[in-house]
Amino acid sequence: MATLRVFNSEKLRFCTRSVRYGLTHPESITGLRREFSAEAKAIVFETNGKPLDVLKLRTFPLPDVTGDTVLVKFLASPINPADINQVEGVYPTKPPFLTDSISSSTPLAIGGNEGAVQILEVGNSVTQFKPGDRAIMRHTLFGTWRTHAIAKVSDLTRVPYSNSEVTAVQAATASVNPTTAYQMLKDFVNLKKGDWFIQNAANSGVGRAAIQFGHLWGLKSINVVRDRENIDDLKRDLESLGATKVVTEEEIKDKGFRSTIKEWIDKREIKLGLNCTGGESTTNLARQLSPGGHLVTYGGMARKPVTVPVSLFIFKDIHLHGYWLTRWADAHPEEKEQIVNEILGLLSAGKLKDVPVDDVVWTDNMSDQDRLDVFKRGVARYINGSGGRKQVLVHK
């Protein structure tokens, strides 16, 4: 049994048929029928529960590409809050539990929603991609915590930039956090240059993106973060991204601090607040809004309800909204793709910086147990807070 090496010496298993094409360059694969089948490794779960308890690693063969399908190798896949919530079974959308396609008699779900891939081979009717192209997932629930997959062309959005312009990790993390920040700043209030917005969880992926979009669009921001030992370093970090002001939760809940905020904004108003926390943090955020202001909730990191005093509704006419990117993207797929392409362009131009990342590295020569252990360590770092750093599965 021979071995064909394509793209970084990746090993792919041959079927029992012999190889008829003496291919030494990946581009020469285009249009030819594959004479080998790939093997995939994936992080799966059989039942919902605590991620460190239920996540397993499974190896399974992949079928040949046909028609409008492509064989992809995953380059990077983040571990997002929604991914963990899906494993726990507390998220509105549920990943499909598969049997035949992953050679399992027991239904298993593959975790992960966001990811960047490289095209290894294309079906005979595929014109949108060629081997060597990179792409990101167009929809959620694909199952991105894996090494390889057979995907439909409709599952993917092409990344029109080289790795030197937009890295795999940047591409893999472009379609959720930055897109969420972009939409919330655009959709709820008609903010104009010089206007203010306020947000909590400002060090999160969405928060950091909102700071940068606001700076690019001439907006001013008040950014609330939890107090910590290195708070001055964090403040300088966020200010370097374009944050106008950075304050702690302790500072903003002090009633006397409102006079400081009034001095900052002068005669302007704070018409928009972005909430990712819940509980007391949200209450304090809502109190800073100007009459007629809008508070948009897109997360609940504190796992506490949104509590807003009645007086803010009656006397300040505050409006509360919820935002869920998945629902919006399902209704506006073309608009989402346009925004993602704009974000990729900003990353390529160096105008948008990605969130700090911890690489969760898989290499070709790792054992299955090592892969699982490394991945679970990344999940554990996420659960423990990870110091504001996103955990991303990276294949090297």
Side-chain angles (χ1 to χ4, degrees):
M1 184 176 290
T3 302
L4 176 65
R5 295 178 182 271
V6 294
F7 301 121
N8 299 324
S9 300
E10 173 132 10
K11 295 181 179 179
L12 297 172
R13 294 185 309 171
F14 281 102
C15 294
T16 55
R17 296 188 301 267
S18 62
V19 179
R20 295 177 294 176
Y21 307 107
L23 303 180
T24 57
H25 301 286
E27 62 270 18
S28 61
I29 298 175
T30 307
L32 298 178
R33 176 175 172 76
R34 175 155 57 101
E35 295 296 323
F36 52 85
S37 59
E39 185 178 77
K41 296 181 183 294
I43 296 294
V44 303
F45 53 100
E46 180 180 341
T47 59
N48 296 120
K50 295 181 179 179
L52 296 180
D53 295 336
V54 302
L55 292 178
K56 303 175 182 178
L57 188 137
R58 183 169 183 83
T59 301
F60 54 93
L62 294 174
D64 289 350
V65 296
T66 58
D68 67 344
T69 65
V70 297
L71 170 65
V72 302
K73 171 190 175 181
F74 276 86
L75 303 174
S77 308
I79 301 172
N80 285 321
D83 305 332
I84 298 300
N85 290 159
Q86 285 176 341
V87 175
E88 294 169 332
V90 297
Y91 202 70
T93 55
K94 314 292 183 185
F97 282 77
L98 311 169
T99 53
D100 292 346
S101 61
I102 60 172
S103 299
S104 174
S105 58
T106 303
L108 300 172
I110 301 175
N113 289 279
E114 202 176 12
V117 302
Q118 185 177 46
I119 311 298
L120 297 185
E121 186 187 357
V122 302
N124 54 19
S125 65
V126 174
T127 59
Q128 300 93 325
F129 296 101
K130 64 181 184 301
D133 284 349
R134 297 189 305 158
I136 57 178
M137 315 318 296
R138 181 172 290 170
H139 309 290
T140 58
L141 302 179
F142 186 87
T144 58
W145 296 345
R146 57 169 114 185
T147 58
H148 300 83
I150 297 294
K152 293 183 178 180
V153 169
S154 58
D155 293 327
L156 305 172
T157 295
R158 185 173 177 271
V159 176
Y161 299 96
S162 68
N163 188 64
S164 62
E165 295 172 313
V166 176
T167 68
V169 170
Q170 287 177 322
T173 56
S175 63
V176 174
N177 289 341
T179 305
T180 297
Y182 186 110
Q183 278 298 110
M184 291 192 299
L185 289 176
K186 290 284 190 181
D187 272 16
F188 294 93
V189 177
N190 183 22
L191 296 175
K192 299 177 181 179
K193 188 174 181 178
D195 285 346
W196 288 79
F197 70 93
I198 188 170
Q199 63 170 342
N200 56 23
N203 191 37
S204 67
V206 173
R208 294 172 74 92
I211 288 170
Q212 293 179 82
F213 286 133
H215 182 66
L216 287 170
W217 299 336
L219 306 178
K220 297 183 178 181
S221 59
I222 299 172
N223 301 276
V224 186
V225 297
R226 289 181 293 106
D227 202 359
R228 62 199 73 197
E229 290 184 1
N230 63 339
I231 187 63
D232 290 335
D233 292 338
L234 177 58
K235 286 184 176 184
R236 283 191 291 269
D237 180 30
L238 298 183
E239 288 166 356
S240 73
L241 297 178
T244 311
K245 300 292 181 180
V246 183
V247 301
T248 66
E249 295 280 5
E250 292 298 315
E251 288 174 317
I252 202 167
K253 76 177 183 180
D254 185 345
K255 291 184 179 180
F257 198 72
R258 295 183 199 175
S259 60
T260 300
I261 292 179
K262 287 182 179 179
E263 289 178 8
W264 288 345
I265 66 175
D266 195 16
K267 296 181 181 180
R268 294 273 188 170
E269 296 182 319
I270 303 175
K271 286 291 190 178
L272 178 66
L274 307 180
N275 167 49
C276 183
T277 304
E280 184 182 21
S281 174
T282 306
T283 306
N284 295 329
L285 204 69
R287 293 186 189 279
Q288 314 311 319
L289 293 175
S290 301
H294 296 256
L295 180 66
V296 182
T297 295
Y298 66 97
M301 293 170 59
R303 300 199 174 190
K304 294 180 180 179
V306 170
T307 305
V308 177
V310 172
S311 60
L312 296 185
F313 291 106
I314 296 175
F315 304 118
K316 295 184 71 176
D317 191 26
I318 297 300
H319 306 271
L320 303 187
H321 308 269
Y323 180 82
W324 185 26
L325 175 66
T326 298
R327 179 176 56 203
W328 174 83
D330 287 344
H332 306 88
E334 293 182 358
E335 187 176 349
K336 184 197 174 185
E337 188 165 350
Q338 291 173 358
I339 292 172
V340 170
N341 283 330
E342 183 178 343
I343 290 168
L344 291 173
L346 291 172
L347 287 166
S348 174
K351 295 181 179 181
L352 186 66
K353 296 181 180 179
D354 47 326
V355 68
V357 163
D358 285 330
D359 288 351
V360 179
V361 178
W362 280 6
T363 60
D364 288 344
N365 60 357
M366 290 177 72
S367 69
D368 287 357
Q369 188 60 52
D370 284 345
R371 290 176 189 264
L372 181 59
D373 290 345
V374 165
F375 190 83
K376 283 189 173 182
R377 285 198 290 271
V379 172
R381 284 195 296 271
Y382 163 78
I383 292 172
N384 293 326
S386 63
R389 301 176 68 85
K390 182 176 286 292
Q391 306 300 304
V392 180
L393 176 60
V394 176
H395 304 269
K396 294 185 176 179

